[in-house]
Amino acid sequence: VIAAGQKWTKVWEVDGNNADGILADKDGSLLIAQNHNSAVVKLDQSGKASTVYKDTHTGGALSMNKKGELFMVQRGLHANVSQLAPKRRILADKMPNGDPIDCNGGVINDLTADSKGGVYFTMGGLFHVDPKGTVTRYGENLATNGVVLSADEKTLYVTNAGSVAAFDVQPDGSLKNQRQFVQLPTPGGDGLSIDSQGRLYVTAGPNVHVVASDGKLVGSIPAPYGLITAAFAGKDKKTMYAVVSLTDPNRLQHAYVYSIPMLAQGYKDRAK
């Protein structure tokens, strides 16, 4: 999936803010969510950054489905799953019993959008929002973080501490057959991405672990720092981008985006 000797290169940094939930825009640029200023930044292939969305209510991770609909988990008080494009609206902010999503506890973390207008998200567990905004919880004994659909949207992957769990996706978006897909060689599985061959890429500490579609570990791409998320973007989606998030002794946050050339290619029919 990668040529020998390739190295990570720092392509962007910001002080006093974070970067999260990255994914490729339609032109190959990278979209980056930022909590602290409630914005989404677009990083083009020359390294120039511009703000494309504002007032995202402490917006976190991003996901775009095959139709080009862009969704975000918003982490401020009254946390929610929102759509940013083609129109802005709150898709879901309540649990099935009517309680606010905030009452679930923890931080709404990551998401993956399907082609039917639904969204799967993680928040101390695994949830699905259907196109009408109804939220359903799935899975047992999950310590979730990253989540991503397979290319054919028949399998959902979600990190589960030091492993990745998989579910079979039903036609109505419901999930069945929870199982362990792979045990990671290092703890702390975080972000997930896929490539055009169905391989899964898992950030875990200073590594991107690569897993074949049958659940066998292909190998690991080492990184100089711990990575929180990764995605294919750039020309022909043959560059991997990853985020490093550090906090200094004064509790000031610093975010860095690194890139590395790949032989593998990201899945082109969906942003991530």
Side-chain angles (χ1 to χ4, degrees):
V1 301
I2 188 170
Q6 294 288 5
K7 297 184 181 298
W8 294 92
T9 301
K10 185 174 69 176
V11 295
W12 185 74
E13 63 179 282
V14 62
D15 295 332
N17 211 325
N18 75 323
D20 204 355
I22 60 174
L23 81 165
D25 202 359
K26 298 172 186 177
D27 62 359
S29 300
L30 193 70
L31 295 179
I32 306 166
Q34 294 193 286
N35 276 194
H36 300 355
N37 61 356
S38 293
V40 176
V41 171
K42 184 173 183 176
L43 185 68
D44 68 22
Q45 294 176 50
S46 68
K48 180 181 177 181
S50 58
T51 299
V52 289
Y53 294 99
K54 297 180 179 180
D55 303 318
T56 64
H57 193 56
T58 316
L62 297 160
S63 183
M64 185 185 295
N65 64 21
K66 292 180 180 180
K67 298 177 181 178
E69 296 170 331
L70 181 63
F71 294 88
M72 168 182 262
V73 289
Q74 300 193 341
R75 297 171 175 166
L77 185 62
H78 305 303
N80 63 78
V81 179
S82 284
Q83 181 178 318
L84 295 181
K87 62 180 180 179
R88 294 186 72 156
R89 65 187 179 104
I90 293 176
L91 178 63
D93 60 0
K94 291 181 174 61
M95 302 301 288
N97 62 1
D99 286 345
I101 282 179
D102 305 73
C103 293
N104 187 61
V107 176
I108 190 167
N109 199 325
D110 203 354
L111 79 165
T112 186
D114 66 32
S115 58
K116 298 178 181 178
V119 172
Y120 300 89
F121 71 92
T122 57
M123 187 179 184
L126 176 62
F127 301 84
H128 176 248
V129 187
D130 70 18
K132 295 181 180 179
T134 301
V135 177
T136 305
R137 185 167 190 159
Y138 291 99
E140 297 179 355
N141 302 315
L142 289 174
T144 60
N145 200 326
V147 60
V148 73
L149 282 162
S150 62
D152 61 10
E153 300 191 5
K154 292 182 179 181
T155 307
L156 183 83
Y157 303 105
V158 61
T159 53
N160 185 22
S163 65
V164 176
F167 292 80
D168 295 332
V169 181
Q170 307 305 299
D172 63 355
S174 61
L175 301 175
K176 292 183 178 180
N177 188 26
Q178 177 181 339
R179 59 198 181 276
Q180 180 171 291
F181 178 67
V182 64
Q183 180 69 44
L184 300 173
T186 61
D190 199 331
L192 297 176
S193 188
I194 60 169
D195 71 12
S196 61
Q197 301 301 309
R199 289 177 289 242
L200 191 67
Y201 295 75
V202 190
T203 58
N207 303 280
V208 179
H209 300 307
V210 186
V211 187
S213 58
D214 61 0
K216 294 181 180 178
L217 187 70
V218 175
S220 302
I221 303 169
Y225 302 100
L227 306 176
I228 63 170
T229 185
F232 285 91
K235 184 179 180 181
D236 297 325
K237 294 188 80 169
K238 296 191 74 172
T239 301
M240 177 165 282
Y241 293 84
V243 173
V244 175
S245 182
L246 301 175
T247 302
D248 68 23
N250 296 319
R251 299 186 64 81
L252 184 68
Q253 197 162 13
H254 306 267
Y256 308 88
V257 175
Y258 283 77
S259 71
I260 195 167
M262 301 290 291
L263 298 175
Q265 183 177 43
Y267 177 56
K268 284 193 170 185
D269 287 346
R270 196 176 70 222
K272 185 176 180 179

